[in-house]
Amino acid sequence: KTIEKRGQRLMDGLKDIFDENDIPSVFTGYPAMFSFSFGVETVNSQRDWAKSDHGLYLALTEKAIKRGVMPDYDSREPWFMCYEHSDADVDETLNVYAEIVKEVKK
């Protein structure tokens, strides 16, 4: 339940950040193991994913890694939550994404 709660907060927080910055996004998976893509309404197949905005995803990933958040370069690879991910880790990830989204949108 702890992992699910933190994962859901992370998913919801990222979705809010993207929405606030007019970045269409779709999340797939479960709170403990999720991924997201940009610029498409759904990702149910490889074809759907291929239409997503890979450039934006990669730009954000590179900035996130420089700030200590470690997403995979492939947006098909899920973000895995575990019990060791604290509420502070979720907060820090959301803070980093709130900042880097603004940087990339410039």
Side-chain angles (χ1 to χ4, degrees):
K1 292 292 181 187
T2 299
I3 297 167
E4 181 181 2
K5 181 180 171 186
R6 288 179 182 150
Q8 190 65 57
R9 193 163 70 83
L10 180 57
M11 288 174 70
D12 292 344
L14 288 169
K15 180 69 172 151
D16 289 345
I17 291 166
F18 301 145
D19 287 350
E20 289 166 9
N21 287 278
D22 298 318
I23 298 173
S25 62
V26 61
F27 285 72
T28 56
Y30 304 94
M33 186 179 81
F34 67 90
S35 60
F36 55 89
S37 298
F38 299 119
V40 291
E41 291 183 24
T42 61
V43 175
N44 294 316
S45 68
Q46 178 69 17
R47 287 187 182 106
D48 294 339
W49 175 82
K51 295 174 188 173
S52 67
D53 190 339
H54 305 291
L56 177 57
Y57 184 88
L58 289 173
L60 289 172
T61 296
E62 289 191 2
K63 287 190 174 292
I65 289 171
K66 288 178 184 176
R67 300 280 302 275
V69 176
M70 303 298 293
D72 195 277
Y73 284 101
D74 186 341
S75 63
R76 294 170 295 185
E77 183 65 30
W79 287 36
F80 293 95
M81 297 294 293
C82 73
Y83 192 77
E84 289 298 313
H85 289 117
S86 67
D87 285 322
D89 294 326
V90 172
D91 292 340
E92 179 61 20
T93 301
L94 293 174
N95 289 336
V96 165
Y97 266 80
E99 292 174 14
I100 66 174
V101 164
K102 288 177 177 47
E103 293 172 16
V104 169
K105 289 246 352 182
K106 286 183 182 178

